[in-house]
Amino acid sequence: MKLSIVVAFYNEEKMIEKTHSEISKQLQLMQPDTIDDYELVYINDGSKDKTLSLMKQMAQNDHHIRFISFSRNFGREGAILSGLKYATGDAVMLMDGDLQHPPALIPNFVAAFKEGYDVVSGQRDRQGEPKQSTFFARLFYRFANHLMDVQLTDGISEFKLFSRKAVDTILALPEYNRFSKGIFSWIGFKEKIIPYQNQVREAGESKFGFRRSMNYAFQGIISFNDKPLRICIQFGLACVGFALLYLLVMFIAYFVKPEILVSGYFTTLAAIILFSGVQLISIGVLGEYIGKIYYEVKRRPHYIVDETNIKKAKEDLVG
């Protein structure tokens, strides 16, 4: 079998050479008993440091490297999509460029693939993570699984291996607003989960800070369900119900104890704030969905190729 390893890099000049070395060593050890051949599909996601120059230099010295460099930073989703599109292996494996996905586990993933699994997922524990990150991550998964049409598992990221059938299915989903975690779960197929210990980044800085992570999480929730729209309707109906109940109570009090009725400044102010808040939240949720529709209708490409040594990518230019 031929194995493709897809790795996206963004400003990883401190890690790219070591990442390539560790992955290559592991793949060479697997030949020819476990795999017949392999390729390394490296994506430069608009890096501003020396990542591209190092990638091109490595490609000259290693014929297994097939690289794509974007014209700017298009984000992880575009990088994953391009890697899957141009990978030619019987199985395609996604890994991070900072060695937080251990190359030593590659044989375990391949073994699971040979057992007949179309999707093999790595699930990390959260040892060594800041408590704040762990808390918000677990909160997201708990909240998302109550809202989304797919189920996500805590600790499972893009450290995955896909069969050719699974890759072709993912590529058949052309939406612009992509949320890979949800897409990988949505396609189904037979899946095996491989647990592993969380790896701390050795060098460089994380490109996924708290704010970006929150935006990504919100995008995922919006992309895979319409329940927020229903919640707005339900919240609005609940407010109307409370308002009618309040009017009924005041109407009865007018006849029973009219002396207790006074001009309610606080009640009026609270009602205005409440209903204004409901309206603004509802408009915001609607705006998010309309914004997603806006980008889908424009049909812009997910990425633009600037440099590559892949003939098909040169011909396509965009994807």
Side-chain angles (χ1 to χ4, degrees):
M1 64 165 287
K2 181 179 180 181
L3 176 65
S4 296
I5 304 289
V6 175
V7 186
F9 295 95
Y10 177 61
N11 293 339
E12 292 289 359
E13 63 179 4
K14 296 180 180 179
M15 288 297 299
I16 185 171
E17 291 180 308
K18 185 171 183 179
T19 298
H20 170 66
S21 176
E22 293 293 326
I23 293 176
S24 297
K25 286 179 183 178
Q26 187 61 60
L27 293 173
Q28 289 166 9
L29 290 173
M30 296 170 63
Q31 287 185 298
D33 299 330
T34 307
I35 58 175
D36 301 316
D37 192 13
Y38 70 89
E39 66 176 0
L40 302 168
V41 184
Y42 290 164
I43 315 299
N44 173 45
D45 190 15
S47 299
K48 298 178 182 178
D49 58 5
K50 297 179 182 179
T51 298
L52 176 58
S53 60
L54 292 171
M55 186 181 294
K56 292 165 68 175
Q57 182 180 345
M58 290 188 305
Q60 292 177 351
N61 300 324
D62 189 343
H63 69 278
H64 292 101
I65 295 178
R66 306 169 75 227
F67 76 89
I68 300 171
S69 180
F70 293 165
S71 62
R72 65 170 178 82
N73 178 246
F74 282 90
R76 180 189 297 183
E77 299 297 331
I80 290 174
L81 182 64
S82 67
L84 294 176
K85 182 177 181 180
Y86 296 110
T88 59
D90 302 300
V92 182
M93 190 167 179
L94 301 178
M95 299 183 68
D96 279 351
D98 53 13
L99 288 181
Q100 289 188 294
H101 294 162
L105 290 178
I106 295 177
N108 301 45
F109 280 72
V110 174
F113 167 72
K114 290 186 175 182
E115 291 173 8
Y117 292 94
D118 289 296
V119 180
V120 186
S121 304
Q123 182 181 20
R124 64 186 175 93
D125 57 29
R126 295 197 173 275
Q127 294 182 9
E129 270 194 359
K131 292 183 178 180
Q132 179 185 2
S133 300
T134 301
F135 171 77
F136 282 108
R138 289 176 175 168
L139 183 64
F140 161 72
Y141 283 106
R142 184 174 300 177
F143 183 67
N145 286 332
H146 279 88
L147 290 179
M148 296 173 65
D149 298 329
V150 296
Q151 291 295 301
L152 304 180
T153 304
D154 187 9
I156 292 183
S157 61
E158 285 77 21
F159 189 22
K160 289 178 175 284
L161 181 145
F162 299 102
S163 68
R164 175 50 53 183
K165 178 172 64 174
V167 170
D168 292 341
T169 303
I170 294 169
L171 294 176
L173 305 175
E175 62 251 42
Y176 181 82
N177 299 285
R178 303 184 70 81
F179 180 65
S180 289
K181 287 179 184 287
I183 291 175
F184 297 159
S185 177
W186 185 87
I187 63 172
F189 293 125
K190 190 178 179 181
E191 180 183 15
K192 181 174 183 178
I193 296 176
I194 297 178
Y196 68 97
Q197 187 174 356
N198 182 45
Q199 304 294 308
V200 180
R201 169 185 278 270
E202 295 184 21
E205 298 179 355
S206 174
K207 312 305 183 300
F208 234 63
F210 178 76
R211 182 177 179 182
R212 192 171 181 182
S213 298
M214 291 297 293
N215 289 336
Y216 185 67
F218 189 70
Q219 176 179 327
I221 293 173
I222 293 293
S223 297
F224 273 86
N225 76 101
D226 58 359
K227 289 183 180 178
L229 293 173
R230 298 176 189 172
I231 291 174
C232 289
I233 296 173
Q234 294 166 358
F235 194 28
L237 291 174
C239 290
V240 171
F242 281 122
L244 292 175
L245 180 62
Y246 178 75
L247 288 175
L248 179 62
V249 171
M250 291 297 100
F251 181 76
I252 294 173
Y254 177 78
F255 292 100
V256 177
K257 291 185 178 181
E259 66 276 5
I260 68 172
L261 295 177
V262 295
S263 298
Y265 172 78
F266 175 78
T267 303
T268 303
L269 185 61
I272 292 173
I273 293 174
L274 173 64
F275 288 109
S276 297
V278 170
Q279 291 173 353
L280 288 174
I281 291 172
S282 302
I283 291 172
V285 172
L286 287 171
E288 285 290 333
Y289 279 97
I290 293 171
K292 300 297 182 186
I293 296 171
Y294 172 70
Y295 279 106
E296 292 291 342
V297 170
K298 288 166 73 168
R299 305 290 294 177
R300 285 184 177 174
H302 300 88
Y303 56 84
I304 299 173
V305 177
D306 183 30
E307 296 182 57
T308 181
N309 63 352
I310 302 174
K311 182 179 179 181
K312 186 66 168 63
K314 285 181 181 179
E315 295 173 355
D316 293 341
L317 188 61
V318 299

